[in-house]
């Protein structure tokens, strides 16, 4: 749990196949107090069900970047962060 | 270090000339050019669209080049990656590295490409006779990057 009582708002960016499967390029969300890490955010979004449940289910290969750096599930989130969710990259 | 993401094609000779311009320490230039093939996973590819994540892409590429410079005895490197719509035979990516000797330059060039393939936020979508499809990541690319070991500084994902 966060020790502050103010709402934590982050912007989420969905890229490539994930953007198409979810039907949106991004959104701004207010995080519940117990969603404090990149991994928790993914689980929270997956709990919406539907396309989110399918695409973000455990075992699906999803990468997360926080403020333009690759993140691990334990990476903490803060108000104003830009969190990007995307499939494994295929450049080069 | 030069890192660029652009729609326009690039001139390999001009990029290498700029990279080593006036640097008499350089005894080796190693380069790699990736190009679009007309077939992938048994399907004909008519065109492909390369998408990236503006803001993160240049930062990720620069971080990979920084790691290469820390690990190998090289002088400088250039990375140019195209985005947008590309057709078979088009150039996609250039990595070029200067060093005093070929061994470190070759290794650094391969290191940069191996990590670009697994960490730089680019995605390919192919148009085939059966429609469009996103290209799947290959486990062989993860294995190629892992070959350099954890000390390469790859984030744990």
């Amino acid at each position: 749990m966060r020790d502050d009582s103010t709402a934590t708002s982050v912007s989420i960016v969905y890229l490539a196949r994930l953007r198409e499967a979810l039907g949106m390029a991004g959104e701004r969300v207010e995080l519940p107090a117990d969603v404090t890490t990149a991994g928790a955010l993914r689980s929270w979004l997956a709990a919406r069900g539907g396309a989110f449940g399918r695409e973000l289910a455990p075992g699906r290969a999803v990468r997360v970047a926080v403020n333009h750096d690759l993140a691990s599930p334990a990476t903490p989130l803060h108000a104003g962060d830009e969190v990007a969710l995307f499939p494994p990259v295929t450049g080069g | 270090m030069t890192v660029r993401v652009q729609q326009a094609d690039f001139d390999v000779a001009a990029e290498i000339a700029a990279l080593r311009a006036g640097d008499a320490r350089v005894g080796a230039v190693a380069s790699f050019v990736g190009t679009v093939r007309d077939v992938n996973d048994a399907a004909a590819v008519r065109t492909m669209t390369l998408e990236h994540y503006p803001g993160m892409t240049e930062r990720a590429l620069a971080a990979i080049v920084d790691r290469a410079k820390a690990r190998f005895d090289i002088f400088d490197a250039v990375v140019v990656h195209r985005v947008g719509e590309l057709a078979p035979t088009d150039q996609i990516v250039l990595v070029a590295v200067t060093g005093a000797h070929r061994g470190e330059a070759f290794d650094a060039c391969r290191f940069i490409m191996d990590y670009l393939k697994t960490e730089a936020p680019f995605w390919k979508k192919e148009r085939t006779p059966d429609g469009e499809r996103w290209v799947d990541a290959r486990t062989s690319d993860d294995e190629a990057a892992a070959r350099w070991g954890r000390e390469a500084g790859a984030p744990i994902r």
Side-chain angles (χ1 to χ4, degrees), chain B:
Chain B
M1 178 205 309
T2 301
V3 165
R4 289 205 316 277
V5 176
Q6 62 188 41
Q7 292 204 359
D9 197 10
F10 51 81
D11 178 336
V12 175
E15 298 293 345
I16 289 176
L19 178 67
R20 68 188 196 87
D23 191 344
R25 299 171 303 168
V26 174
V29 182
S31 66
F32 172 87
V33 177
T35 59
V36 182
R37 291 183 299 155
D38 67 357
V39 65
N40 186 30
D41 288 338
V45 175
R46 289 179 174 161
T47 60
M48 74 164 50
T49 304
L50 263 147
E51 171 180 331
H52 77 124
Y53 178 19
M56 176 171 173
T57 317
E58 294 85 349
R59 183 182 168 94
L61 292 173
I64 293 166
V65 172
D66 278 339
R67 294 214 302 269
K69 288 174 114 169
R71 176 168 178 146
F72 302 99
D73 188 11
I74 58 173
F75 297 135
D76 204 359
V78 58
V79 179
V80 183
H81 202 299
R82 294 179 69 191
V83 292
E85 187 160 309
L86 300 174
T89 76
D90 282 353
Q91 301 186 120
I92 305 174
V93 60
L94 165 71
V95 174
V97 175
T98 56
H101 305 289
R102 69 185 183 285
E104 297 279 303
F106 272 132
D107 285 352
C109 186
R110 185 168 189 164
F111 175 97
I112 291 168
M113 264 315 296
D114 284 349
Y115 278 97
L116 183 155
K117 295 286 282 189
T118 56
E119 294 185 8
F122 293 99
W123 299 274
K124 290 181 182 133
K125 188 183 205 180
E126 296 172 338
R127 187 169 299 121
T128 74
D130 295 328
E132 295 190 331
R133 62 176 190 183
W134 290 98
V135 174
D136 283 330
R138 296 176 191 275
T139 54
S140 59
D141 287 336
D142 283 332
E143 289 158 9
R147 196 170 62 84
W148 297 101
R150 180 60 54 77
E151 73 274 18
I156 299 156
R157 291 168 296 175

Side-chain angles (χ1 to χ4, degrees), chain A residues 21-75:
Chain A
L22 299 177
M24 65 172 82
E27 59 182 317
R28 190 153 194 95
V29 297
E30 300 287 337
L31 300 181
D34 59 344
V35 177
T36 61
T37 64
L41 173 64
R42 174 182 172 168
S43 301
W44 181 65
L45 291 170
R48 288 172 170 175
F52 284 88
R54 283 192 302 276
E55 296 296 329
L56 304 179
R60 294 298 300 270
V62 176
R63 304 286 188 252
V64 182
V66 176
N67 299 328
H68 301 141
D69 281 326
L70 279 176
S72 75
T75 301

